[in-house]
Amino acid sequence: FFFFSSRRRHTRCREVSWARRCVQETGTFHITSNFLKPLNPILGETFNGEFEDGTQYYAEQTCHRPPISHFLLCGPNNSYMYDGYGEFAAHPGFNSITVNVTGNRKIVFADKTIVNFGNADEFFDNAFWGIPRHQAIGVLTYCLLYTSP
């Protein structure tokens, strides 16, 4: 999505794409709702990788209490740079978990357009038994900070 968005020449088209992306972000829950490793990462734990299009990905657990993770994506041919951090506070219920997410995310395109956006909170129902359900709750905002002439 970021590479596609970086190729848009008109600011209005890019802004509409970002508004759609903020709404569609919940569509990735089928990926993010599965946990393949412990939920309590070790301070300094790092992860890096490369996608098929050449995008480089880096992440690090930078704080243990409260848990804070930083990340950086560098697009192919320096078409964009996406970075940010997230701080998570989990509140367990009887068979559910509410996660308050704070932090900022920012993407800078090659033409110096900057988009800053936040995080929605998350709610996991049927965490221990039943069919799991993952919902975004609260508000997800984005702001176009600068567009070059």
Side-chain angles (χ1 to χ4, degrees), residues 47-90:
F47 176 79
N48 66 328
E50 183 175 346
F51 294 97
E52 290 179 9
D53 68 354
T55 299
Q56 299 285 320
Y57 178 76
Y58 306 92
E60 181 175 359
Q61 185 70 21
T62 53
C63 187
H64 184 66
R65 291 280 185 256
I68 301 174
S69 300
H70 282 77
F71 65 90
L72 170 67
L73 271 85
C74 299
N77 304 319
N78 295 319
S79 56
Y80 65 88
M81 185 166 36
Y82 173 41
D83 68 324
Y85 71 95
E87 179 179 337
F88 309 93

Side-chain angles (χ1 to χ4, degrees), residues 32-33 35 95-99 122-127 133-134:
T32 62
S33 293
F35 305 113
N95 190 26
S96 64
I97 303 169
T98 302
V99 181
E122 300 182 26
F123 178 73
F124 297 87
D125 197 15
N126 298 325
R133 186 176 59 169
H134 184 181

